Amino acid sequence: MVGRNWRVKRQFWGRWQKRLSTRYGPWALVTGASSGIGREMVLRLAEAGINLVLIARSQTVLEQMTVALTSQHGIEVRVFVLDLSLEAGVETLVAATQDLDIGLLVAAPGFGTSGLFLNSLLEQEMEMLNVNCRSLLGLIWHFGQRFAMRGRGGMVLMSSIVGFQGMPFAAHYAATKAYVQALAEALYVELAPMGIDVLAAAPGPTHSGFATRAGMQMGMALKPEDIALPILNALGRRSMSLPGVLSKLLTYSLVPLPRWARVRIMGEVMGSMTKHQRGMIADLAEVE
């Protein structure tokens, strides 16, 4: 029985890899490639034999990944150390990849903020808006043009379950993910006749390093390695993926409730994850 299960699993994996490579190869471009969900997506794509363009801000990590990927999978890898919060980032990337037959865009930047909105730094919030929305829009437009000309392609856009309603204590982050979700849902329909598959991937809380940067304290959460494959497997089959049991549980349990109630409940959840921030602010006020 064990041998049979192993053979079935190997056959499934082989078919999945062939489908991915045939429809979206020979090159894929991944933003946010150095850590978390983006890194896991890179590993799965490399296993399918797809050449990779990796974008992140950590040159050392990208160089280490390049050595490992080329030696283990025999693929080609190009890396670009870019800050997509800067306006010139997308244009630089588009120009530098003109010679590559890219068929898949995976937009997985891990940028978020949390806490009381009025205590946030406007500069940081604008940076997040640029990464999560403005640069994403540019990437979708430019590579969508390429995919339409070649008659096939795919886009994986990282939404989140927080984008399905307002999210107190992560108000602006949730708003950026609502933008991604709405855009992906519309483009799924609009681009399908051109042979372009679009997927909104909406995971729940994930241990990916994102929480630390966003100033959040998470308890139960998903692992990036457990959700990358379900996301890629959903591409070309449906418009949205809720990878992992936790994502589905948190989303579907709120579906019957009115929107105002969902906002309140999600506010309670995020409030508990950012309570330490408000405690720090209170401590500082007492000192002053």
Side-chain angles (χ1 to χ4, degrees):
M1 180 63 70
V2 174
R4 181 177 181 276
N5 290 339
W6 180 82
R7 287 195 300 272
V8 170
K9 184 176 181 180
R10 186 176 65 176
Q11 290 172 356
F12 165 78
W13 183 241
R15 289 195 299 269
W16 179 84
Q17 289 178 323
K18 184 177 181 180
R19 169 184 171 270
L20 203 63
S21 178
T22 300
R23 182 149 182 81
Y24 307 113
W27 284 84
L29 184 150
V30 184
T31 67
S34 62
S35 63
I37 298 173
R39 183 186 180 95
E40 289 301 320
M41 301 279 258
V42 165
L43 298 179
R44 301 291 82 77
L45 292 169
E47 290 170 351
I50 297 178
N51 302 315
L52 292 162
V53 178
L54 309 182
I55 296 91
R57 297 193 296 181
S58 176
Q59 182 170 352
T60 301
V61 174
L62 289 181
E63 290 175 348
Q64 292 172 346
M65 291 177 66
T66 298
V67 172
L69 293 169
T70 54
S71 62
Q72 293 175 15
H73 302 288
I75 62 172
E76 294 184 59
V77 179
R78 289 194 190 180
V79 301
F80 294 93
V81 180
L82 289 174
D83 184 350
L84 291 178
S85 68
L86 303 178
E87 189 171 352
V90 172
E91 288 74 17
T92 299
L93 182 59
V94 170
T97 58
Q98 286 289 347
D99 62 321
L100 302 179
D101 186 14
I102 296 173
L104 177 61
L105 168 65
V106 178
F111 196 156
T113 60
S114 66
L116 291 168
F117 177 73
L118 292 183
N119 289 336
S120 64
L121 299 175
L122 181 58
E123 182 180 356
Q124 187 178 39
E125 297 298 323
M126 292 297 291
E127 184 180 359
M128 179 175 65
L129 182 65
N130 287 337
V131 172
N132 292 1
C133 300
R134 186 197 56 78
S135 68
L136 177 68
L137 178 64
L139 290 171
I140 291 172
W141 191 88
H142 283 290
F143 286 99
Q145 299 283 340
R146 292 195 197 181
F147 298 166
M149 290 184 64
R150 71 201 295 270
R152 63 184 176 89
M155 300 181 185
V156 177
L157 311 181
M158 293 306 301
S159 174
S160 169
I161 64 169
V162 305
F164 298 144
Q165 67 285 301
M167 185 81 160
F169 307 112
H172 186 213
Y173 171 69
T176 67
K177 291 304 178 180
Y179 172 89
V180 176
Q181 182 68 33
L183 184 60
E185 289 175 350
L187 293 181
Y188 171 80
V189 175
E190 189 174 327
L191 301 185
M194 304 175 192
I196 304 173
D197 300 324
V198 180
L199 179 74
T206 305
H207 289 305
S208 61
F210 165 83
T212 301
R213 182 175 185 182
M216 296 157 49
Q217 293 181 340
M218 293 194 304
M220 184 170 57
L222 301 162
K223 297 180 180 179
E225 57 268 30
D226 294 334
I227 64 177
L229 182 57
I231 289 173
L232 290 172
N233 193 43
L235 180 63
R237 293 190 165 105
R238 50 187 179 272
S239 63
M240 184 178 71
S241 170
L242 292 168
V245 175
L246 181 60
S247 301
K248 295 177 177 63
L249 176 63
L250 293 174
T251 301
Y252 293 139
S253 62
L254 297 177
V255 168
L257 302 177
R259 192 177 181 91
W260 67 264
R262 300 203 303 269
V263 172
R264 292 284 185 177
I265 291 172
M266 293 299 279
E268 290 292 329
V269 173
M270 183 56 70
S272 66
M273 295 168 66
T274 59
K275 185 178 180 180
H276 64 288
Q277 296 183 30
R278 297 189 294 282
M280 291 169 59
I281 293 170
D283 291 342
L284 290 173
E286 290 178 4
V287 170
E288 293 173 354

